[in-house]
Amino acid sequence: MPNPLPSVQWRALQTTLRRGNSTQQPAAIALTPNLAPNLRWRSSSVLDSYVDKPARPISLRQLIFFGGRNLDEVRILNSANYVRSELPIRIAHRIRDMQKLPYVVVTNPHMSHVYDLYYKAFDTLRKVPEIKTIEDNDRFCSIVKNMLREHLTIIPNLAMGVLECKDLVPAAEIDRFMNKLLRSRISRRVIAEQHIALTDTFNSPFHFPASSAFQQPNSHPDFVGEVFLRCNAKEVVERCGKLAQNLARDAFGPDSPVPEIEIEGHTDTIFPYILSHLEYMIGELLRNSIQATIEKHHPASPTTKLPLIKVLICHAPQHIIFRVSDQGGGIPPDELPHLWSFSKGARSQARLENFARVPTMAATMQELLNSHTHTSSIVGHQNSINMTARKVGSREESSLSSLTSRPPNLRLGIGLPMSRVYAEYWAGSLELHSLEGYGTDVFLQISKLGNKSEQLTLDGL
């Protein structure tokens, strides 16, 4: 990987390449001969051996079965060695994807930062020896926790990198690249956080794997690692909706009216899922609808009644479907063609400037919080969210509890694309239908049986 170019030098190279209509690596090197002696390409022989290995996808059902009631030392060690061997393989494939990008792209300071974090993680994980004892596992978990924290900067840097390179690579190509990296990132965090959660459970003084007669006070047997077996669809919508409403009040003023959320359909639906994934998707959809409704109708006074946001929950034999309907005016025509793109759009420059204000991102619902202007209502509701998270077993080290400095009205433009990546990861889908001048219907479909393996990429790893 080449050294990242200073921003001024990189922008000069970018301009030269754009004028020459070339983004290929040889052209970039030819244009910058003075940089050649400083290139530090890492040997790929070790990387090649990992790229040659396929990933081993898992399903929610496997996560549940492996970490159920009979969690013991053997299962913990097996889980540790699966994570130890799987993480470097998945990271290696993504490093290879970055190595295939044009030279000018990989020397972008943001992309180079991501590459360095990936290579450091790969090099660290491949050197971890076989885990044979609980003490070995504890040391391994410490390494993984530090890595998860370090990698919170990846999404903002990826987003800024692709926005800065949007004129150098075709949009479809960079979107495929982003989709691969983000799906793989989700998959790594899932297996890493699941193992850490299982280790926490195993190390708990109240853990009695061979007996159901003893349980920790306030324990929740329906929670296995990071998988909550009894996600209540209505409760999730209510919880995310209240937070999104409070965030809207924080953005538009405490006396500003916000639309009410009406929930209908199969409101008693319960299913297994990773709660942080579900909350992120529902939270983003409701935040978008609330903000669009307020901006469309320009409430003149606190007593103004805004149109309802309606959430319909449908319980099908194989799926759970959430339909979020609003009267927020629909998607502007200039944004609609690029709705699912990470790199294109009418407001790319504004998004780039906004990303510069977001240092870390775990992609969770609670990143909608504004850490700079916490009103009492926000803080109070955050406390209730944290209590709910603890009730269902979320760990302090999981991405669910990660907060950033993102103000609620700071638009990043990746909420919908990221939500679709999360939905498709567990073989679900996310579709949006817009009626210009009126509103939108968004359909989030997720598999309710937990028997679908993770979808690492659209075209294979």
Side-chain angles (χ1 to χ4, degrees), residues 298-374:
H298 303 293
S301 70
T303 58
T304 302
K305 191 71 172 178
L306 295 177
L308 290 174
I309 293 172
K310 296 185 178 182
V311 179
L312 175 64
I313 301 170
C314 300
H315 188 169
Q318 301 287 328
H319 308 284
I320 306 296
I321 302 171
F322 297 83
R323 187 186 73 183
V324 180
S325 305
D326 65 58
Q327 298 179 39
I331 307 297
D334 61 337
E335 293 184 16
L336 197 56
H338 312 295
L339 194 62
W340 305 107
S341 175
F342 290 95
S343 60
K344 288 293 184 179
R347 297 171 176 82
S348 295
Q349 184 58 39
R351 289 162 53 189
L352 181 60
E353 294 170 359
N354 288 342
F355 264 110
R357 298 165 58 188
V358 184
T360 61
M361 176 174 289
T364 66
M365 177 189 67
Q366 287 152 315
E367 286 172 337
L368 302 178
L369 289 173
N370 176 0
S371 64
H372 295 308
T373 57
H374 279 170

Side-chain angles (χ1 to χ4, degrees), residues 48-105:
D48 288 342
S49 65
Y50 281 85
V51 173
D52 289 339
K53 301 175 183 178
R56 293 175 289 169
I58 55 175
S59 66
L60 277 175
R61 184 173 292 178
Q62 288 173 302
L63 291 178
I64 294 166
F65 173 78
F66 200 80
R69 285 185 180 274
N70 297 320
L71 183 64
D72 55 18
E73 182 173 336
V74 173
R75 290 197 173 195
I76 284 292
L77 297 182
N78 286 341
S79 173
N81 282 301
Y82 168 76
V83 175
R84 176 188 65 86
S85 62
E86 193 71 9
L87 287 180
I89 293 174
R90 298 188 184 198
I91 294 174
H93 282 272
R94 302 290 75 83
I95 292 174
R96 180 52 47 86
D97 287 337
M98 284 186 273
Q99 290 177 342
K100 293 177 180 178
L101 291 172
Y103 178 84
V104 68
V105 176

